[in-house]
Amino acid sequence: MQTLNSRPEESTALIVDRSQYTVAEVLVFAKRLQDLLSDALVKIKKETRPLDACFVLPSLNPVSYMIGFVACLNAGVGVIPWREQAISLDRLMNLVRPDGLIKITDAPGTGFSLELFDQPELEFSRPGQVVMLTSGSTGQPKGVTLGVAQLIRNAELAGSAINLSACSKWAIDIDMALMSATSHMVMAWQYDKPLLHLLDMPNDSSDREFSDGCTGFGGSPIQLVRMSERLGAKTQPNKMMSSGDFLAPAMLDQIRTSFPNTEIYKFYGLTELSGRFCFVSNQELFKYKSAAGRPLPGFEVRIACENEEGGIGEIEAKSDLITAGYYVGDGQFQAIEGDWFSTGDIGSLENGMLTLIGRSDDVMKVGGEKVDRQTIESALTEILYQHEYCVLSVQHSLFGQCPALFIAENSAYNIPAWDEIVQAMKKKLSSRFIPSLIFRLEEGLPRLANGKIDRVKLKTEFQQYPRLH
């Protein structure tokens, strides 16, 4: 079984605020937890097949998460990254049937205990070793199972694509249980780079960490935009890597204005594909601003049912890095069938470059003509780049099927007036693309267990949110 690279023990593994943890410290703490896991395997009678055991790893503290993740991989047991604020333990237990919970009993990373569960036996041997929680397009949580070798290989491909070796350290600012954050952590480990977690780090500390001009940063498009506002004028990352949501051209232009010398890379991927799938290099990014990218080595891509080059259809992927399947609850496992995986995304492929249009359910008919969510969201970035927002198709009693815009409140910036938003859009798009309904959300956009926007909740409960007039 492939596991994480060996690293010099004196190397820095993690930086959180003003504390640093060496590889040696991480491994010492991980060994203590491994001993607990070994004892637990005897108690639950799985010492001969440790992979059939699976433990929940809370993600609130980056230090404990890294140590716990390394310990589980080294012990050969399964690990379920858990965002405590996103999904209850009871719901998680029903979904994946874990054998126990790793509990932090002391200062971060120095003390662990295990709470073992009396769970019914699964009717199958557990595939993979890492179970990432996601919900896809249904809004219902699922556990995507991935092998360690798959996760590591994907992280190595991403690191190679951006030439991570040129960075002094790699920074993130998201919950560690998210697929993106875990991928960044593994990527930094494989390339022997300190992982800098900006959790609650004040701006002056951030400036210091990026002052060498060699520190890279990875995150969602809105996080890249906020980083361009957060760092001082003379401080900029060596590289920035966008993944998760779509990096719109207007956001890209703002980042480039703030960081003219920073290399920027755009990635498109799915948890089911072990993380990243396609990427646009810094050299091609401004030539193909709207593209999702070319497949990483080892991936093939096609458009289902396309009739010609450049035709629009559902994006399908083929690779050894595709998940074996899903935990769907009640001890049930749903295997992935066939060589090609349907992503649920709609796009086009031309000259090897993939362009993403949206989800299969993101295309709506307004006035008898098709409208896609991605076009509307892209047109809004120039006026709403300081806010989190999304566009969805909703069914309204008066308007019928129509696009609705949901904007999260931002304490630092006021939401533009309704007429400002509409006028800005009219300069770029025809009237059928203008959202018929605009809502402001004081508590932010609702999130699923995997950190993605809860679109099902927005679409079904949109009438409860205050309208922007």
Side-chain angles (χ1 to χ4, degrees):
M1 180 186 68
Q2 183 178 356
T3 188
L4 296 172
N5 282 346
S6 297
R7 300 175 62 182
E9 293 196 346
E10 67 274 11
S11 293
T12 300
L14 182 65
I15 303 171
V16 179
D17 197 4
R18 294 175 177 82
S19 300
Q20 296 191 16
Y21 297 83
T22 66
V23 170
E25 290 173 314
V26 170
L27 294 178
V28 166
F29 296 145
K31 182 60 171 64
R32 296 176 186 173
L33 177 56
Q34 284 173 241
D35 292 340
L36 291 177
L37 293 170
S38 296
D39 292 341
L41 292 176
V42 175
K43 293 179 181 178
I44 59 179
K45 299 179 181 179
K46 293 182 179 178
E47 66 270 28
T48 58
R49 285 189 56 84
L51 188 57
D52 278 350
C54 203
F55 296 90
V56 179
L57 175 62
S59 65
L60 194 58
N61 185 281
V63 184
S64 299
Y65 182 83
M66 175 180 278
I67 293 167
F69 195 87
V70 171
C72 288
L73 264 56
N74 288 347
V77 301
V79 57
I80 309 167
W82 178 37
R83 297 178 67 226
E84 299 172 60
Q85 70 274 32
I87 184 172
S88 70
L89 185 57
D90 287 344
R91 195 174 188 188
L92 186 152
M93 288 174 65
N94 174 265
L95 178 67
V96 189
R97 295 271 179 88
D99 293 285
L101 168 67
I102 297 172
K103 303 177 76 173
I104 313 304
T105 59
D106 204 355
T110 61
F112 294 94
S113 67
L114 288 179
E115 177 185 345
L116 297 181
F117 304 137
D118 184 17
Q119 288 274 73
E121 286 291 322
L122 294 173
E123 297 179 357
F124 53 87
S125 293
R126 289 186 182 274
Q129 192 176 347
V130 182
V131 181
M132 303 299 301
L133 299 180
T134 185
S135 43
S137 58
T138 65
Q140 297 302 314
K142 295 185 290 186
V144 179
T145 181
L146 298 171
V148 173
Q150 291 177 309
L151 197 65
I152 290 175
R153 178 58 181 155
N154 194 286
E156 289 174 341
L157 288 171
S160 176
I162 67 173
N163 188 22
L164 181 61
S165 298
C167 292
S168 60
K169 49 186 176 290
W170 190 253
I172 61 172
D173 193 18
I174 48 180
D175 191 290
M176 295 296 290
L178 297 176
M179 180 71 211
S180 179
T182 296
S183 294
H184 285 303
M185 180 184 74
V186 174
M187 183 179 74
W189 186 281
Q190 291 301 97
Y191 284 85
D192 192 23
K193 302 298 176 183
L195 182 71
L196 168 64
H197 202 294
L198 302 176
L199 178 71
D200 300 327
M201 185 176 287
N203 286 354
D204 58 344
S205 296
S206 296
D207 281 350
R208 287 196 300 272
E209 294 292 350
F210 283 90
S211 62
D212 63 359
C214 296
T215 298
F217 178 77
S220 66
I222 190 66
Q223 288 176 316
L224 268 60
V225 169
R226 288 175 177 170
M227 183 59 69
S228 72
E229 299 168 344
R230 176 176 181 173
L231 294 180
K234 296 182 180 180
T235 305
Q236 55 185 300
N238 179 273
K239 303 175 188 294
M240 298 189 88
M241 175 178 170
S242 168
S243 57
D245 297 325
F246 188 76
L247 178 62
M251 303 173 88
L252 176 60
D253 289 339
Q254 184 194 341
I255 296 166
R256 171 60 76 223
T257 299
S258 299
F259 301 137
N261 299 318
T262 297
E263 293 181 11
I264 305 172
Y265 300 82
K266 182 199 293 188
F267 282 79
Y268 157 59
L270 298 167
T271 301
E272 288 89 341
L273 304 180
S274 302
R276 289 79 180 220
F277 169 30
C278 295
F279 84 106
V280 188
S281 68
N282 178 69
Q283 290 77 15
E284 290 191 303
L285 190 55
F286 284 85
K287 181 180 178 182
Y288 301 102
K289 286 185 178 181
S290 299
R294 304 184 189 279
L296 287 164
F299 281 98
E300 295 179 51
V301 61
R302 71 182 184 186
I303 304 299
C305 302
E306 67 171 329
N307 297 318
E308 56 184 343
E309 178 77 355
I312 295 174
E314 186 165 358
I315 299 168
E316 295 185 342
K318 183 179 180 181
S319 173
D320 291 337
L321 304 187
I322 294 175
T323 176
Y326 304 97
Y327 292 93
V328 293
D330 235 5
Q332 300 299 310
F333 182 78
Q334 177 183 326
I336 297 293
E337 303 292 342
D339 294 332
W340 288 89
F341 176 79
S342 297
T343 65
D345 290 329
I346 301 296
S348 63
L349 185 64
E350 189 169 4
N351 297 323
M353 184 67 76
L354 183 68
T355 297
L356 187 65
I357 294 174
R359 295 290 298 175
S360 56
D361 58 354
D362 284 343
V363 179
M364 63 200 90
K365 277 197 173 182
V366 178
E369 296 186 78
K370 287 186 178 180
V371 171
D372 67 276
R373 179 180 65 85
Q374 190 64 61
T375 296
I376 302 174
E377 291 189 352
S378 296
L380 286 164
T381 52
E382 191 170 338
I383 191 170
L384 292 180
Y385 68 87
Q386 294 166 329
H387 300 270
E388 288 189 296
Y389 66 92
C390 74
V391 173
L392 296 172
S393 167
V394 300
Q395 194 67 33
H396 192 269
S397 57
L398 294 178
F399 305 130
Q401 190 180 35
C402 65
L405 169 61
F406 301 86
I407 310 172
E409 294 276 12
N410 185 333
S411 58
Y413 301 97
N414 292 324
I415 294 176
W418 179 87
D419 58 337
E420 289 183 66
I421 296 175
V422 171
Q423 291 305 316
M425 292 200 66
K426 283 183 176 179
K427 293 178 181 178
K428 300 182 177 184
L429 301 173
S430 59
S431 59
R432 73 178 188 273
F433 286 87
I434 310 300
S436 304
L437 303 167
I438 304 179
F439 302 95
R440 56 181 180 84
L441 284 71
E442 297 177 355
E443 302 298 325
L445 301 178
R447 299 281 173 175
L448 297 166
N450 62 357
K452 294 183 180 180
I453 297 170
D454 189 343
R455 294 175 181 170
V456 174
K457 180 178 177 66
L458 288 174
K459 291 180 73 165
T460 57
E461 301 179 7
F462 70 92
Q463 292 178 324
Q464 76 178 32
Y465 302 111
R467 293 267 302 274
L468 192 67
H469 297 285

mmCIF file of all heavy atoms in Angstrom, residues 11 67 75 81 115 133 209 239 253 290 314 342 357:
data_model
loop_
_atom_site.group_PDB
_atom_site.id
_atom_site.type_symbol
_atom_site.label_atom_id
_atom_site.label_comp_id
_atom_site.label_asym_id
_atom_site.label_seq_id
_atom_site.Cartn_x
_atom_site.Cartn_y
_atom_site.Cartn_z
ATOM 1 N N SER A 11 12.336 19.027 8.780
ATOM 2 C CA SER A 11 11.496 19.867 7.928
ATOM 3 C C SER A 11 10.270 20.352 8.697
ATOM 4 O O SER A 11 9.742 19.648 9.573
ATOM 5 C CB SER A 11 11.031 19.093 6.693
ATOM 6 O OG SER A 11 12.095 18.799 5.843
ATOM 7 N N ILE A 67 -1.999 15.339 12.140
ATOM 8 C CA ILE A 67 -1.446 14.226 12.906
ATOM 9 C C ILE A 67 -2.356 13.002 12.817
ATOM 10 O O ILE A 67 -1.898 11.878 12.598
ATOM 11 C CB ILE A 67 -1.238 14.642 14.371
ATOM 12 C CG1 ILE A 67 -0.137 15.716 14.455
ATOM 13 C CG2 ILE A 67 -0.897 13.451 15.248
ATOM 14 C CD1 ILE A 67 -0.063 16.417 15.790
ATOM 15 N N ALA A 75 -1.279 3.509 10.067
ATOM 16 C CA ALA A 75 -1.846 2.333 10.737
ATOM 17 C C ALA A 75 -2.636 1.448 9.773
ATOM 18 O O ALA A 75 -3.019 0.328 10.139
ATOM 19 C CB ALA A 75 -2.743 2.775 11.892
ATOM 20 N N PRO A 81 -12.751 12.186 7.345
ATOM 21 C CA PRO A 81 -12.643 13.591 7.763
ATOM 22 C C PRO A 81 -14.029 14.138 8.091
ATOM 23 O O PRO A 81 -14.980 13.961 7.323
ATOM 24 C CB PRO A 81 -12.037 14.274 6.527
ATOM 25 C CG PRO A 81 -11.303 13.175 5.806
ATOM 26 C CD PRO A 81 -12.154 11.964 6.008
ATOM 27 N N GLU A 115 -13.085 6.825 21.080
ATOM 28 C CA GLU A 115 -14.403 6.366 21.515
ATOM 29 C C GLU A 115 -14.865 5.324 20.508
ATOM 30 O O GLU A 115 -15.047 5.643 19.330
ATOM 31 C CB GLU A 115 -15.401 7.527 21.563
ATOM 32 C CG GLU A 115 -16.811 7.095 21.937
ATOM 33 C CD GLU A 115 -17.817 8.231 21.865
ATOM 34 O OE1 GLU A 115 -17.382 9.399 21.802
ATOM 35 O OE2 GLU A 115 -19.030 7.951 21.864
ATOM 36 N N LEU A 133 -16.782 13.132 2.670
ATOM 37 C CA LEU A 133 -18.223 13.397 2.646
ATOM 38 C C LEU A 133 -18.544 14.404 1.552
ATOM 39 O O LEU A 133 -17.899 15.439 1.413
ATOM 40 C CB LEU A 133 -18.681 13.938 3.996
ATOM 41 C CG LEU A 133 -18.476 12.999 5.188
ATOM 42 C CD1 LEU A 133 -18.972 13.651 6.463
ATOM 43 C CD2 LEU A 133 -19.191 11.666 4.962
ATOM 44 N N GLU A 209 4.377 36.038 6.365
ATOM 45 C CA GLU A 209 4.517 34.701 5.799
ATOM 46 C C GLU A 209 4.703 34.748 4.279
ATOM 47 O O GLU A 209 5.350 33.886 3.698
ATOM 48 C CB GLU A 209 3.293 33.843 6.142
ATOM 49 C CG GLU A 209 3.144 33.533 7.631
ATOM 50 C CD GLU A 209 4.239 32.606 8.161
ATOM 51 O OE1 GLU A 209 5.001 32.052 7.334
ATOM 52 O OE2 GLU A 209 4.328 32.436 9.378
ATOM 53 N N LYS A 239 2.704 31.697 -6.263
ATOM 54 C CA LYS A 239 1.730 31.010 -7.116
ATOM 55 C C LYS A 239 0.375 31.036 -6.427
ATOM 56 O O LYS A 239 0.292 31.058 -5.196
ATOM 57 C CB LYS A 239 2.133 29.560 -7.361
ATOM 58 C CG LYS A 239 3.506 29.355 -7.989
ATOM 59 C CD LYS A 239 3.850 27.867 -8.085
ATOM 60 C CE LYS A 239 5.291 27.666 -8.517
ATOM 61 N NZ LYS A 239 5.538 28.126 -9.882
ATOM 62 N N ASP A 253 -9.101 38.847 -13.591
ATOM 63 C CA ASP A 253 -8.515 40.152 -13.890
ATOM 64 C C ASP A 253 -8.190 40.925 -12.616
ATOM 65 O O ASP A 253 -7.161 41.610 -12.530
ATOM 66 C CB ASP A 253 -9.474 40.965 -14.762
ATOM 67 C CG ASP A 253 -9.578 40.427 -16.188
ATOM 68 O OD1 ASP A 253 -8.654 39.719 -16.605
ATOM 69 O OD2 ASP A 253 -10.593 40.702 -16.849
ATOM 70 N N SER A 290 -12.110 31.507 -19.919
ATOM 71 C CA SER A 290 -13.365 30.837 -19.549
ATOM 72 C C SER A 290 -13.256 29.322 -19.524
ATOM 73 O O SER A 290 -14.240 28.644 -19.231
ATOM 74 C CB SER A 290 -14.477 31.253 -20.525
ATOM 75 O OG SER A 290 -14.705 32.647 -20.477
ATOM 76 N N GLU A 314 -22.827 16.267 -21.566
ATOM 77 C CA GLU A 314 -22.344 15.968 -20.218
ATOM 78 C C GLU A 314 -20.881 15.521 -20.267
ATOM 79 O O GLU A 314 -20.473 14.740 -21.117
ATOM 80 C CB GLU A 314 -23.190 14.884 -19.569
ATOM 81 C CG GLU A 314 -22.809 14.640 -18.119
ATOM 82 C CD GLU A 314 -23.851 13.848 -17.354
ATOM 83 O OE1 GLU A 314 -24.902 13.513 -17.939
ATOM 84 O OE2 GLU A 314 -23.611 13.563 -16.158
ATOM 85 N N SER A 342 -19.656 9.774 -15.196
ATOM 86 C CA SER A 342 -20.441 10.959 -15.576
ATOM 87 C C SER A 342 -20.374 11.995 -14.464
ATOM 88 O O SER A 342 -20.796 11.725 -13.332
ATOM 89 C CB SER A 342 -21.901 10.563 -15.839
ATOM 90 O OG SER A 342 -21.986 9.671 -16.933
ATOM 91 N N ILE A 357 -19.867 24.634 -18.707
ATOM 92 C CA ILE A 357 -21.051 25.488 -18.841
ATOM 93 C C ILE A 357 -21.884 25.482 -17.567
ATOM 94 O O ILE A 357 -22.443 26.496 -17.164
ATOM 95 C CB ILE A 357 -21.898 25.025 -20.044
ATOM 96 C CG1 ILE A 357 -21.099 25.256 -21.331
ATOM 97 C CG2 ILE A 357 -23.228 25.765 -20.107
ATOM 98 C CD1 ILE A 357 -21.766 24.703 -22.571
#
